[in-house]
Amino acid sequence: MADDFKSQMAIVLNNLRISTERHILNGLKQSCPKILEVIFNDRDWQDDTYNLRDSFGYGIYVNGSLIHKGYLNDSPLAQRPARKKYRGRDVIGREELESFFNEYDARLKTGIEVVFVAGIYYANILEFKKLLNGFINGEEEAKKQFIDALRSNKIPIKR
């Protein structure tokens, strides 16, 4: 009887873990676009070619693997490369972001990691302080969005 109880409890706990992880990932998928907008909108410079905008994105990694990524705009807005070449090559915002995702080695090999990126080389040059403030404000928005997402959904537990 004790073994039967242990096996039933193990099944319930495993279902709880799976449901919780799914709930957290769904919350992140809902929250990350809003957080990315907060990060991007906290700026005082113009994005003349839209390459900087196209280089903003986020990635959700689970156990070290990218499982979901998103952008400020689904389709790139830039019509031409950035004004200045970088190391002798044309720079296109969305390509820089995709390159980041392809090369990034997740820091967490177990668990969930979310990465917000301004992937074009001059992002840190343009108003570094403002961009940093955007990421700090994004962190506050992340906490708020995630808590709201968790509260808004009940986690179903299968028995």
Side-chain angles (χ1 to χ4, degrees), residues 2 6 8 11 13 29 38 53 66-67 69 78 82 88 102-105 108-109 115-116 118-119 129 142 148 151:
K6 284 182 182 179
Q8 287 179 358
I11 291 169
L13 290 175
K29 288 176 184 177
V38 167
R53 171 184 280 273
L66 180 65
I67 62 145
K69 60 185 173 181
N102 291 335
E103 296 172 15
Y104 182 71
D105 185 26
L108 298 179
K109 302 304 179 197
V115 178
F116 291 92
K129 186 177 178 184
D148 289 349
R151 286 181 181 158

Side-chain angles (χ1 to χ4, degrees), residues 17-143:
R17 182 189 59 79
I18 291 169
S19 295
T20 302
E21 285 176 2
R22 189 175 303 128
H23 185 69
I24 289 170
L25 291 173
N26 287 337
L28 287 170
K29 288 176 184 177
Q30 290 174 9
S31 300
C32 285
K34 295 172 187 172
I35 296 162
L36 191 62
E37 285 180 23
V38 167
I39 293 168
F40 183 78
N41 289 332
D42 194 2
R43 70 189 197 294
D44 64 358
W45 36 263
Q46 293 295 322
D47 187 18
D48 298 330
T49 65
Y50 295 106
N51 280 293
L52 183 57
R53 171 184 280 273
D54 288 347
S55 82
F56 271 74
Y58 66 89
I60 301 173
Y61 295 78
V62 175
N63 299 329
S65 297
L66 180 65
I67 62 145
H68 182 77
K69 60 185 173 181
Y71 316 96
L72 276 174
N73 298 88
D74 291 335
S75 298
L77 298 176
Q79 300 292 316
R80 63 183 190 273
R83 289 186 182 145
K84 293 186 180 181
K85 293 182 182 257
Y86 181 68
R87 297 183 178 169
R89 65 177 175 82
D90 284 335
V91 178
I92 298 172
R94 184 60 58 88
E95 290 177 8
E96 295 297 303
L97 179 59
E98 293 298 339
S99 178
F100 173 86
F101 287 136
N102 291 335
E103 296 172 15
Y104 182 71
D105 185 26
R107 293 180 182 178
L108 298 179
K109 302 304 179 197
T110 305
I112 300 171
E113 177 179 352
V114 179
V115 178
F116 291 92
V117 181
I120 206 157
Y121 77 93
Y122 55 82
N124 62 344
I125 298 168
L126 288 174
E127 305 277 345
F128 175 76
K129 186 177 178 184
K130 286 291 187 181
L131 187 58
L132 184 60
N133 284 340
F135 278 96
I136 290 169
N137 291 340
E139 182 180 3
E140 290 302 312
E141 182 69 14
K143 290 175 188 174

Side-chain angles (χ1 to χ4, degrees), residues 2-17:
D3 287 337
D4 188 43
F5 176 75
K6 284 182 182 179
S7 64
Q8 287 179 358
M9 200 58 170
I11 291 169
V12 169
L13 290 175
N14 189 52
N15 287 337
L16 176 62
R17 182 189 59 79

